[in-house]
Amino acid sequence: MYDRAVAALDAGETSSALAFLERALKIFDNACWYSYLGYCVAKERGQVRKGVELCGSALQQEPENPIHFLNLARVHLVAGKKVEALQALREGMNCGGNAEILSLLEKIGTRKPPVFSFLPRNHALNRVVGLVLDRLKLR
């Protein structure tokens, strides 16, 4: 069941992965599966807090497993918390990383420095000039 859940996640089918994981955890309780379950619960049911708790539980059991950090980052992205997601991905890279973490980091991207470094990032001048330069493809 677990292998089928991971295959479903790889195919982007989180609803079927959630069903497989719930069935697998009824048969055999494996702590490392909780991070996958946390992501599925957050994505499909909108239960972000429960997703973070499940990922945290998996990280307590296996703190050096980068997959748990990847799933935690996915949960944070579902919640719209990009900063927390990036932090989780960086921690996952410190634990050895993997191709999925690198792919998600590239997908999220990094912010460019402000146009005028002496002004705050959210200053109107930085925002407007940054947008103009971006539209003109000069930045």
Side-chain angles (χ1 to χ4, degrees):
M1 288 289 180
Y2 171 74
D3 293 333
R4 292 171 74 181
V6 172
L9 276 174
D10 289 341
E13 300 170 5
T14 52
S15 60
S16 53
L18 176 61
F20 288 133
L21 282 168
E22 287 177 335
R23 276 191 238 140
L25 284 167
K26 286 180 183 176
I27 297 169
F28 182 74
D29 189 30
N30 188 333
C32 78
W33 299 351
Y34 286 121
S35 70
Y36 285 107
L37 181 65
Y39 167 61
C40 291
V41 165
K43 176 95 172 159
E44 290 300 316
R45 297 182 183 154
Q47 298 174 345
V48 174
R49 181 175 291 146
K50 184 174 182 180
V52 170
E53 289 172 4
L54 289 167
C55 290
S57 172
L59 279 167
Q60 286 178 348
Q61 297 294 320
E62 296 180 346
E64 297 297 317
N65 191 340
I67 293 295
H68 302 322
F69 288 103
L70 173 66
N71 288 324
L72 179 61
R74 290 174 174 167
V75 170
H76 286 308
L77 287 175
V78 167
K81 297 180 178 179
K82 186 176 175 181
V83 173
E84 288 87 348
L86 286 170
Q87 180 182 358
L89 291 171
R90 288 184 190 117
E91 288 179 35
M93 288 303 294
N94 288 337
C95 292
N98 64 24
E100 289 180 89
I101 291 176
L102 283 174
S103 173
L104 190 55
L105 277 169
E106 288 175 7
K107 183 179 175 184
I108 293 173
T110 57
R111 294 177 84 176
K112 296 175 184 146
V115 178
F116 303 107
S117 60
F118 56 89
L119 293 173
R121 176 179 293 281
N122 62 352
H123 191 276
L125 194 57
N126 263 330
R127 291 187 359 224
V128 171
V129 174
L131 285 172
V132 169
L133 290 176
D134 187 55
R135 295 264 164 78
L136 294 173
K137 300 190 191 293
L138 296 174
R139 183 180 152 119

